Amino acid sequence: MTEKEITLKIDGLKVNAKEGSTILETALSNNIYIPNLCYYPGLEPWGSCRLCMVENDDGRLVTACETLVQDGMNIVTDNPRINRVRKLSAELLIANHEVDCLTCRKNDDCKLQEVSSYLGINREDLGSLRRQINNISIDDSNPFFDRDLKKCVLCGVCVRTCNELLGVKAIDFGFRGYDTKITTFGDRPLVDSNCVSCGECVVACPVGALVPKEALKPAREVKTVCPFCGVGCNIYLGVRGNQVISARGDAENSVNKGNLCVKGRYGFKFINHPNRLTKPLIKRNNIFEEVEWDEALDYVAHKFSQIKSEEFAAISSARCPNEDNYAVQKFTRAVMGINNVDNCARSCHAPSVAGLAKIFGSGAMSNSIDEIKDSACLFVIGTNPTASYPVIGLRIVEAVKNGAKLIVADPRNIDICKHADIVLNQIPGTDVALLMGMMKIIVDEDLVDEKFIEERCENYDEFKESLKEYDLRTVEAITGVNKELIVKAAKMYASTKPASILYSLGITEHTHGTENVFALGNLALLTGNMGKPSTGVNPIRGQNNVQGACDMGCLPDVFPGYQKVEDPETIHRFEEAYDVKLNNSKGLMFPEMLEAALIGDVRAMYIVGENPVTSEPDTENIKKSLKNLDFLVVQDIFMSETASMADVVLPGCSFAEKDGTFANSERRVQRVRKAIEPVGESKPDWLITCQIAQKMDAEGFEFKDASDIYDEIAEVAPIFGGINYNRIEEEGIQWPCIDKQDKGTPILHTETFKTENGRGRFIPLKYRPSAELPNKEYPLLLTTGRSIYHYQTSTMTGAVEGLRTLYGEDYIDMCQEDATKIGVKNNEKVKVISRRGQIEPKVRITETCFCGVVFMTFHFSESATNILTNSALDPISKTPEFKVCAVRVEKI
């Protein structure tokens, strides 16, 4: 619905405003300054500072931040009476405020300074006031910012930001009278509180009370995309010389609207880290030697030339731009003559690609991130958004604030549960039973969308028949969830529209991950929650370009744009485009590559920007496979655990040193821009791949730049046909985008599904237990996930000292009852043993875990969690079962 516009006068100037906006918002949007301190966009008006007083038609003084505009009103913002009130308020604030502006890190960006200048306050004005500055020591415990309460004006912006926007509530007002201050629970240092170090309060603080530890001003800024999770937040990198010194959110961007998490705002230090790879390395006599580029490229080209097509395999990178990934798949297919190319989506969202494609015809997020806030019901299952995708977590909190119902299904009591209406704590690996049980209730209660099913779906009767197995008693016994809660959740999701499903690796990383995805698809079809705003089935991607790596055809069964390698027409078109004969057989998936390497069928591997030695399950088996290769080339920015095993290591560029594009979770293709020159002698990854191809006398790799590559992508993949760098200069475009008149596709499946007959397909499902369950020898069930402070195997985030300060090792989380059984206390070291190996992490006793379930992150090689995890695979997607692993924990 379009917001109604009204007209009013401010200081005699006629202005337009949206109905429901405040006087202050209207004035500021029309470049009319009204002094203010406690106002901040996105927060509820508070009116505490009294600096925004204006005069209304009745001659009364009102706070502009709280007073809504009315049609025809006449507002005065400046006269002696108004300024007398403002000046007194400001003088009282300044009187007890440190006046060291020149050395303050907020100098020239301080709103109190701005107000003081506007009102003409001088030292004489403050002389009659009793000055007393509280002697409160600076809290410098956080590694990224300091808190100086001597400069605090008690505007409450930080408290409200933490409460209203984030829902973290790490700080609040404490004490009384003159001793009132902003404090943490128990008045402890910030680092000991539940603060998540996102820095949103630092950005919002109008004075110098919250400031970055390093507040250098950049000489220039470059707009680009955050290199961490799949949200795709737009950022500005601040640059001095050839050093990246800062990052800030782009407030104008529709994806993140200026919001960032701790990694996005402070995790840039890896870019200029001294441990970056700067020269090519060749291993001789088990020792790496630095060589020149020509020697390294000649050596790699010579070795690859000696390998038969079927003996070669490549792994592309979800961290690298689309253009790098496109070059890797083209090299594998056009030069090496094989479809043995894959990416880390195999270990995370391959079930999404396979499952959603079968039901809907497209294996991607159906709706847009910005729609989350407008959902009436959110079903969050198998994902921990506030830790893994914090900006999406903000949108969920915003939706709840807007009145949305929230259902959370997770084996642990994760942070987002505190905002939920219903929490379902299912036993890991029982999602199919839970979801089918919910759907049986929806059918039995006649809550299905019959019109949608009749018009747009098929195979409903067979699916409906399969629900008979899932009576409430059976589902409760399998899942461990109270049957009354299951009924409530089913009714809430089915009857509250629009409803959106958000999920991630807690759904996919199972031996039945694809079936889990089928179940979610069934649920959306059953209730008609597809093809409409704020609905859909929405897999949240965990890495910045895992969507793009798949889009670019870095999968063994599809070319760029998800065109099947076995389709004769597709093969013909790509053979014409690449001017070579291509293989029309599916290649090996990553787990199959490793099996083939172990028996000698794959002899050479090219790994770009991935670290499978730490990221994949059953680590020792991964190492055996890689050791058995005749030749391993790893391209990366650091000497990772995988790179250390290579015969040749080639130094690639970070995202800040090259141009390109990332595709975020919502299919939005966005510009990545070069901010600094490559560190040392590193090169863009696409260029390295193309130079290897050229050394092997291949044609079609003479790209001038990254833009040139994307133009070829648009030519060979119709779903990207309307995308080029000029069109996405300011804002990204969501594929499919067929031509240059197409504005992109925010919502998939609005009129028809992408299946062969255009109908969504219900899929009957039978519950299968996980491959490995607890027993007497291994009585606990280990599940894995992420920390908010790190990214994947911490190759990048581990190089940021502040992030390691906040979270520097992998713990094993367990409840007090399980800890008491084995006689361990918090922070004690233990042995964690599975059928595959053992590690020795410290215990962290937490209320997040329930009895029988323990949890670990997988960020550090020092206590490599994936030594323990099970490499059993989903039969369809070949995704390993990271989320269910039987272990025992012993006191050391």
Side-chain angles (χ1 to χ4, degrees), residues 221-248:
E221 288 188 318
V222 178
K223 183 179 177 181
T224 188
V225 181
C226 177
F228 296 114
C229 80
V231 176
C233 296
N234 278 226
I235 59 175
Y236 284 95
L237 289 180
V239 179
R240 271 195 180 189
N242 205 45
Q243 297 273 323
V244 174
I245 63 162
S246 65
R248 67 177 178 89

PDB file of all heavy atoms in Angstrom, residues 221-248:
ATOM      1  N   GLU A 221      37.479   5.730   0.095  1.00  0.00           N
ATOM      2  CA  GLU A 221      36.645   4.559   0.385  1.00  0.00           C
ATOM      3  C   GLU A 221      36.216   3.898  -0.918  1.00  0.00           C
ATOM      4  O   GLU A 221      35.995   4.566  -1.926  1.00  0.00           O
ATOM      5  CB  GLU A 221      35.412   4.953   1.197  1.00  0.00           C
ATOM      6  CG  GLU A 221      35.706   5.318   2.632  1.00  0.00           C
ATOM      7  CD  GLU A 221      34.442   5.507   3.442  1.00  0.00           C
ATOM      8  OE1 GLU A 221      33.486   6.121   2.920  1.00  0.00           O
ATOM      9  OE2 GLU A 221      34.394   5.039   4.591  1.00  0.00           O
ATOM     10  N   VAL A 222      36.096   2.578  -0.872  1.00  0.00           N
ATOM     11  CA  VAL A 222      35.694   1.805  -2.039  1.00  0.00           C
ATOM     12  C   VAL A 222      34.507   0.926  -1.656  1.00  0.00           C
ATOM     13  O   VAL A 222      34.577   0.154  -0.695  1.00  0.00           O
ATOM     14  CB  VAL A 222      36.852   0.925  -2.567  1.00  0.00           C
ATOM     15  CG1 VAL A 222      36.384   0.097  -3.752  1.00  0.00           C
ATOM     16  CG2 VAL A 222      38.051   1.783  -2.952  1.00  0.00           C
ATOM     17  N   LYS A 223      33.424   1.035  -2.423  1.00  0.00           N
ATOM     18  CA  LYS A 223      32.240   0.237  -2.152  1.00  0.00           C
ATOM     19  C   LYS A 223      32.441  -1.177  -2.686  1.00  0.00           C
ATOM     20  O   LYS A 223      32.838  -1.373  -3.829  1.00  0.00           O
ATOM     21  CB  LYS A 223      31.018   0.857  -2.815  1.00  0.00           C
ATOM     22  CG  LYS A 223      29.721   0.116  -2.518  1.00  0.00           C
ATOM     23  CD  LYS A 223      28.526   0.774  -3.183  1.00  0.00           C
ATOM     24  CE  LYS A 223      27.257  -0.022  -2.921  1.00  0.00           C
ATOM     25  NZ  LYS A 223      26.076   0.559  -3.564  1.00  0.00           N
ATOM     26  N   THR A 224      32.139  -2.170  -1.843  1.00  0.00           N
ATOM     27  CA  THR A 224      32.282  -3.568  -2.254  1.00  0.00           C
ATOM     28  C   THR A 224      31.323  -4.429  -1.441  1.00  0.00           C
ATOM     29  O   THR A 224      30.358  -3.922  -0.861  1.00  0.00           O
ATOM     30  CB  THR A 224      33.754  -4.026  -2.114  1.00  0.00           C
ATOM     31  OG1 THR A 224      33.917  -5.315  -2.692  1.00  0.00           O
ATOM     32  CG2 THR A 224      34.214  -4.048  -0.674  1.00  0.00           C
ATOM     33  N   VAL A 225      31.573  -5.740  -1.402  1.00  0.00           N
ATOM     34  CA  VAL A 225      30.679  -6.677  -0.713  1.00  0.00           C
ATOM     35  C   VAL A 225      31.478  -7.441   0.337  1.00  0.00           C
ATOM     36  O   VAL A 225      32.617  -7.858   0.095  1.00  0.00           O
ATOM     37  CB  VAL A 225      30.032  -7.664  -1.710  1.00  0.00           C
ATOM     38  CG1 VAL A 225      29.082  -8.623  -0.996  1.00  0.00           C
ATOM     39  CG2 VAL A 225      29.279  -6.907  -2.800  1.00  0.00           C
ATOM     40  N   CYS A 226      30.888  -7.634   1.500  1.00  0.00           N
ATOM     41  CA  CYS A 226      31.529  -8.358   2.603  1.00  0.00           C
ATOM     42  C   CYS A 226      31.920  -9.771   2.151  1.00  0.00           C
ATOM     43  O   CYS A 226      31.155 -10.445   1.463  1.00  0.00           O
ATOM     44  CB  CYS A 226      30.573  -8.430   3.780  1.00  0.00           C
ATOM     45  SG  CYS A 226      31.195  -9.372   5.187  1.00  0.00           S
ATOM     46  N   PRO A 227      33.108 -10.247   2.554  1.00  0.00           N
ATOM     47  CA  PRO A 227      33.591 -11.554   2.088  1.00  0.00           C
ATOM     48  C   PRO A 227      33.226 -12.722   2.982  1.00  0.00           C
ATOM     49  O   PRO A 227      33.777 -13.814   2.826  1.00  0.00           O
ATOM     50  CB  PRO A 227      35.107 -11.350   2.114  1.00  0.00           C
ATOM     51  CG  PRO A 227      35.329 -10.482   3.316  1.00  0.00           C
ATOM     52  CD  PRO A 227      34.151  -9.540   3.340  1.00  0.00           C
ATOM     53  N   PHE A 228      32.311 -12.553   3.911  1.00  0.00           N
ATOM     54  CA  PHE A 228      32.028 -13.626   4.849  1.00  0.00           C
ATOM     55  C   PHE A 228      30.732 -14.378   4.501  1.00  0.00           C
ATOM     56  O   PHE A 228      30.699 -15.080   3.515  1.00  0.00           O
ATOM     57  CB  PHE A 228      32.066 -13.095   6.278  1.00  0.00           C
ATOM     58  CG  PHE A 228      33.442 -12.605   6.674  1.00  0.00           C
ATOM     59  CD1 PHE A 228      33.697 -11.268   6.933  1.00  0.00           C
ATOM     60  CD2 PHE A 228      34.523 -13.479   6.717  1.00  0.00           C
ATOM     61  CE1 PHE A 228      34.969 -10.816   7.262  1.00  0.00           C
ATOM     62  CE2 PHE A 228      35.805 -13.038   7.032  1.00  0.00           C
ATOM     63  CZ  PHE A 228      36.027 -11.705   7.308  1.00  0.00           C
ATOM     64  N   CYS A 229      29.662 -14.256   5.256  1.00  0.00           N
ATOM     65  CA  CYS A 229      28.506 -15.131   5.043  1.00  0.00           C
ATOM     66  C   CYS A 229      27.728 -14.768   3.780  1.00  0.00           C
ATOM     67  O   CYS A 229      28.044 -13.811   3.077  1.00  0.00           O
ATOM     68  CB  CYS A 229      27.596 -15.116   6.258  1.00  0.00           C
ATOM     69  SG  CYS A 229      26.497 -13.678   6.342  1.00  0.00           S
ATOM     70  N   GLY A 230      26.648 -15.517   3.518  1.00  0.00           N
ATOM     71  CA  GLY A 230      25.897 -15.368   2.284  1.00  0.00           C
ATOM     72  C   GLY A 230      24.863 -14.260   2.272  1.00  0.00           C
ATOM     73  O   GLY A 230      24.095 -14.155   1.316  1.00  0.00           O
ATOM     74  N   VAL A 231      24.809 -13.425   3.296  1.00  0.00           N
ATOM     75  CA  VAL A 231      23.861 -12.309   3.272  1.00  0.00           C
ATOM     76  C   VAL A 231      24.230 -11.323   2.165  1.00  0.00           C
ATOM     77  O   VAL A 231      23.376 -10.770   1.488  1.00  0.00           O
ATOM     78  CB  VAL A 231      23.799 -11.590   4.637  1.00  0.00           C
ATOM     79  CG1 VAL A 231      22.875 -10.379   4.571  1.00  0.00           C
ATOM     80  CG2 VAL A 231      23.315 -12.545   5.723  1.00  0.00           C
ATOM     81  N   GLY A 232      25.525 -11.109   1.977  1.00  0.00           N
ATOM     82  CA  GLY A 232      25.969 -10.198   0.918  1.00  0.00           C
ATOM     83  C   GLY A 232      25.878  -8.742   1.312  1.00  0.00           C
ATOM     84  O   GLY A 232      25.499  -7.886   0.497  1.00  0.00           O
ATOM     85  N   CYS A 233      26.243  -8.428   2.548  1.00  0.00           N
ATOM     86  CA  CYS A 233      26.196  -7.033   3.009  1.00  0.00           C
ATOM     87  C   CYS A 233      27.139  -6.163   2.183  1.00  0.00           C
ATOM     88  O   CYS A 233      28.279  -6.540   1.909  1.00  0.00           O
ATOM     89  CB  CYS A 233      26.595  -6.955   4.480  1.00  0.00           C
ATOM     90  SG  CYS A 233      25.455  -7.806   5.596  1.00  0.00           S
ATOM     91  N   ASN A 234      26.649  -4.986   1.808  1.00  0.00           N
ATOM     92  CA  ASN A 234      27.484  -4.024   1.095  1.00  0.00           C
ATOM     93  C   ASN A 234      28.260  -3.186   2.096  1.00  0.00           C
ATOM     94  O   ASN A 234      27.705  -2.724   3.101  1.00  0.00           O
ATOM     95  CB  ASN A 234      26.635  -3.130   0.198  1.00  0.00           C
ATOM     96  CG  ASN A 234      26.300  -3.785  -1.131  1.00  0.00           C
ATOM     97  OD1 ASN A 234      26.406  -3.172  -2.185  1.00  0.00           O
ATOM     98  ND2 ASN A 234      25.897  -5.048  -1.092  1.00  0.00           N
ATOM     99  N   ILE A 235      29.536  -2.994   1.823  1.00  0.00           N
ATOM    100  CA  ILE A 235      30.414  -2.270   2.730  1.00  0.00           C
ATOM    101  C   ILE A 235      31.257  -1.261   1.963  1.00  0.00           C
ATOM    102  O   ILE A 235      31.409  -1.345   0.747  1.00  0.00           O
ATOM    103  CB  ILE A 235      31.359  -3.226   3.502  1.00  0.00           C
ATOM    104  CG1 ILE A 235      32.237  -4.042   2.529  1.00  0.00           C
ATOM    105  CG2 ILE A 235      30.574  -4.138   4.426  1.00  0.00           C
ATOM    106  CD1 ILE A 235      33.279  -4.919   3.224  1.00  0.00           C
ATOM    107  N   TYR A 236      31.779  -0.304   2.706  1.00  0.00           N
ATOM    108  CA  TYR A 236      32.794   0.604   2.187  1.00  0.00           C
ATOM    109  C   TYR A 236      34.107   0.284   2.891  1.00  0.00           C
ATOM    110  O   TYR A 236      34.181   0.363   4.122  1.00  0.00           O
ATOM    111  CB  TYR A 236      32.413   2.059   2.442  1.00  0.00           C
ATOM    112  CG  TYR A 236      31.348   2.587   1.510  1.00  0.00           C
ATOM    113  CD1 TYR A 236      30.005   2.574   1.887  1.00  0.00           C
ATOM    114  CD2 TYR A 236      31.682   3.102   0.264  1.00  0.00           C
ATOM    115  CE1 TYR A 236      29.021   3.058   1.042  1.00  0.00           C
ATOM    116  CE2 TYR A 236      30.702   3.585  -0.601  1.00  0.00           C
ATOM    117  CZ  TYR A 236      29.382   3.567  -0.202  1.00  0.00           C
ATOM    118  OH  TYR A 236      28.416   4.045  -1.050  1.00  0.00           O
ATOM    119  N   LEU A 237      35.109  -0.098   2.124  1.00  0.00           N
ATOM    120  CA  LEU A 237      36.441  -0.303   2.686  1.00  0.00           C
ATOM    121  C   LEU A 237      37.180   1.026   2.698  1.00  0.00           C
ATOM    122  O   LEU A 237      37.279   1.698   1.666  1.00  0.00           O
ATOM    123  CB  LEU A 237      37.227  -1.324   1.855  1.00  0.00           C
ATOM    124  CG  LEU A 237      36.778  -2.787   1.931  1.00  0.00           C
ATOM    125  CD1 LEU A 237      37.665  -3.645   1.043  1.00  0.00           C
ATOM    126  CD2 LEU A 237      36.799  -3.308   3.364  1.00  0.00           C
ATOM    127  N   GLY A 238      37.706   1.395   3.871  1.00  0.00           N
ATOM    128  CA  GLY A 238      38.516   2.603   3.988  1.00  0.00           C
ATOM    129  C   GLY A 238      39.973   2.278   3.711  1.00  0.00           C
ATOM    130  O   GLY A 238      40.510   1.309   4.248  1.00  0.00           O
ATOM    131  N   VAL A 239      40.598   3.084   2.876  1.00  0.00           N
ATOM    132  CA  VAL A 239      41.958   2.788   2.414  1.00  0.00           C
ATOM    133  C   VAL A 239      42.890   3.962   2.679  1.00  0.00           C
ATOM    134  O   VAL A 239      42.522   5.127   2.474  1.00  0.00           O
ATOM    135  CB  VAL A 239      41.951   2.463   0.899  1.00  0.00           C
ATOM    136  CG1 VAL A 239      43.361   2.167   0.403  1.00  0.00           C
ATOM    137  CG2 VAL A 239      41.025   1.289   0.606  1.00  0.00           C
ATOM    138  N   ARG A 240      44.095   3.649   3.133  1.00  0.00           N
ATOM    139  CA  ARG A 240      45.204   4.599   3.204  1.00  0.00           C
ATOM    140  C   ARG A 240      46.400   3.958   2.522  1.00  0.00           C
ATOM    141  O   ARG A 240      46.840   2.876   2.948  1.00  0.00           O
ATOM    142  CB  ARG A 240      45.572   4.925   4.645  1.00  0.00           C
ATOM    143  CG  ARG A 240      44.815   6.083   5.245  1.00  0.00           C
ATOM    144  CD  ARG A 240      45.511   6.527   6.520  1.00  0.00           C
ATOM    145  NE  ARG A 240      44.843   7.646   7.149  1.00  0.00           N
ATOM    146  CZ  ARG A 240      45.337   8.324   8.174  1.00  0.00           C
ATOM    147  NH1 ARG A 240      46.518   7.981   8.665  1.00  0.00           N
ATOM    148  NH2 ARG A 240      44.676   9.335   8.702  1.00  0.00           N
ATOM    149  N   GLY A 241      46.907   4.585   1.470  1.00  0.00           N
ATOM    150  CA  GLY A 241      48.002   3.966   0.741  1.00  0.00           C
ATOM    151  C   GLY A 241      47.530   2.664   0.141  1.00  0.00           C
ATOM    152  O   GLY A 241      46.552   2.626  -0.599  1.00  0.00           O
ATOM    153  N   ASN A 242      48.213   1.565   0.497  1.00  0.00           N
ATOM    154  CA  ASN A 242      47.785   0.248   0.032  1.00  0.00           C
ATOM    155  C   ASN A 242      47.318  -0.616   1.201  1.00  0.00           C
ATOM    156  O   ASN A 242      47.421  -1.833   1.170  1.00  0.00           O
ATOM    157  CB  ASN A 242      48.914  -0.459  -0.728  1.00  0.00           C
ATOM    158  CG  ASN A 242      48.384  -1.481  -1.719  1.00  0.00           C
ATOM    159  OD1 ASN A 242      47.437  -1.206  -2.453  1.00  0.00           O
ATOM    160  ND2 ASN A 242      48.980  -2.667  -1.744  1.00  0.00           N
ATOM    161  N   GLN A 243      46.800   0.061   2.240  1.00  0.00           N
ATOM    162  CA  GLN A 243      46.325  -0.632   3.433  1.00  0.00           C
ATOM    163  C   GLN A 243      44.826  -0.405   3.617  1.00  0.00           C
ATOM    164  O   GLN A 243      44.346   0.734   3.511  1.00  0.00           O
ATOM    165  CB  GLN A 243      47.047  -0.109   4.680  1.00  0.00           C
ATOM    166  CG  GLN A 243      48.542  -0.352   4.703  1.00  0.00           C
ATOM    167  CD  GLN A 243      48.885  -1.711   5.289  1.00  0.00           C
ATOM    168  OE1 GLN A 243      48.250  -2.181   6.222  1.00  0.00           O
ATOM    169  NE2 GLN A 243      49.909  -2.334   4.738  1.00  0.00           N
ATOM    170  N   VAL A 244      44.093  -1.475   3.886  1.00  0.00           N
ATOM    171  CA  VAL A 244      42.692  -1.351   4.275  1.00  0.00           C
ATOM    172  C   VAL A 244      42.654  -1.103   5.775  1.00  0.00           C
ATOM    173  O   VAL A 244      43.165  -1.908   6.556  1.00  0.00           O
ATOM    174  CB  VAL A 244      41.894  -2.618   3.915  1.00  0.00           C
ATOM    175  CG1 VAL A 244      40.467  -2.525   4.450  1.00  0.00           C
ATOM    176  CG2 VAL A 244      41.874  -2.832   2.410  1.00  0.00           C
ATOM    177  N   ILE A 245      42.066   0.018   6.185  1.00  0.00           N
ATOM    178  CA  ILE A 245      42.111   0.406   7.605  1.00  0.00           C
ATOM    179  C   ILE A 245      40.739   0.424   8.265  1.00  0.00           C
ATOM    180  O   ILE A 245      40.645   0.560   9.485  1.00  0.00           O
ATOM    181  CB  ILE A 245      42.787   1.775   7.792  1.00  0.00           C
ATOM    182  CG1 ILE A 245      41.958   2.865   7.082  1.00  0.00           C
ATOM    183  CG2 ILE A 245      44.220   1.763   7.283  1.00  0.00           C
ATOM    184  CD1 ILE A 245      42.283   4.257   7.539  1.00  0.00           C
ATOM    185  N   SER A 246      39.662   0.304   7.476  1.00  0.00           N
ATOM    186  CA  SER A 246      38.336   0.353   8.090  1.00  0.00           C
ATOM    187  C   SER A 246      37.299  -0.278   7.172  1.00  0.00           C
ATOM    188  O   SER A 246      37.549  -0.502   5.981  1.00  0.00           O
ATOM    189  CB  SER A 246      37.927   1.809   8.386  1.00  0.00           C
ATOM    190  OG  SER A 246      37.790   2.547   7.176  1.00  0.00           O
ATOM    191  N   ALA A 247      36.143  -0.558   7.752  1.00  0.00           N
ATOM    192  CA  ALA A 247      34.992  -1.028   6.977  1.00  0.00           C
ATOM    193  C   ALA A 247      33.737  -0.471   7.626  1.00  0.00           C
ATOM    194  O   ALA A 247      33.631  -0.422   8.855  1.00  0.00           O
ATOM    195  CB  ALA A 247      34.936  -2.556   6.957  1.00  0.00           C
ATOM    196  N   ARG A 248      32.817  -0.022   6.807  1.00  0.00           N
ATOM    197  CA  ARG A 248      31.526   0.453   7.325  1.00  0.00           C
ATOM    198  C   ARG A 248      30.415  -0.013   6.405  1.00  0.00           C
ATOM    199  O   ARG A 248      30.628  -0.263   5.213  1.00  0.00           O
ATOM    200  CB  ARG A 248      31.506   1.978   7.466  1.00  0.00           C
ATOM    201  CG  ARG A 248      31.563   2.753   6.157  1.00  0.00           C
ATOM    202  CD  ARG A 248      31.475   4.259   6.404  1.00  0.00           C
ATOM    203  NE  ARG A 248      31.575   5.018   5.165  1.00  0.00           N
ATOM    204  CZ  ARG A 248      30.533   5.347   4.395  1.00  0.00           C
ATOM    205  NH1 ARG A 248      29.305   4.979   4.749  1.00  0.00           N
ATOM    206  NH2 ARG A 248      30.704   6.043   3.278  1.00  0.00           N
TER     207      ARG A 248
END
